[in-house]
Amino acid sequence: MSRNSTLILLLCAGGLTGCAADYLNNYETVTLAAGDTQKHNSLLQTVDPLNPASRNTTIKGDGVRAAAVAESYRIPPPPPPPPAITVNVGNTGVE
């Protein structure tokens, strides 16, 4: 190849890569929030978007039951017993 054809080839390749890079910056994808622009805008302008029930810190519960559950995680239960093995010895009655 001559020097001029190599230079032209490099210029064309450089020009094409510039177009490809610009194309990749402007592609469209589908995301989980696609189509929720009205909901997004309303949440953006909401003063306090939290649920009012989330401020309740007095959650009713049974302390003894919760302690038993925590204890069961601390001390794992014993493994299940091995399966019973039956051994037949002698005549089965089939001739």
Side-chain angles (χ1 to χ4, degrees):
M1 283 176 106
S2 68
R3 183 176 172 198
N4 289 338
S5 60
T6 305
L7 182 62
I8 291 172
L9 179 66
L10 286 175
L11 287 175
C12 289
L16 289 176
T17 57
C19 294
D22 187 42
Y23 174 75
L24 291 175
N25 289 333
N26 296 318
Y27 65 94
E28 295 178 11
T29 59
V30 176
T31 63
L32 294 175
D36 289 340
T37 55
Q38 292 175 346
K39 184 176 179 183
H40 172 74
N41 290 336
S42 66
L43 287 176
L44 191 65
Q45 297 174 7
T46 303
V47 177
D48 191 7
L50 294 176
N51 185 355
S54 65
R55 297 174 197 257
N56 183 11
T57 58
T58 57
I59 300 171
K60 296 179 181 178
D62 187 10
V64 175
R65 182 174 160 216
V69 170
E71 189 70 21
S72 71
Y73 282 111
R74 194 169 64 87
I75 301 172
I85 298 174
T86 304
V87 178
N88 293 329
V89 179
N91 188 5
T92 60
V94 179
E95 292 183 32

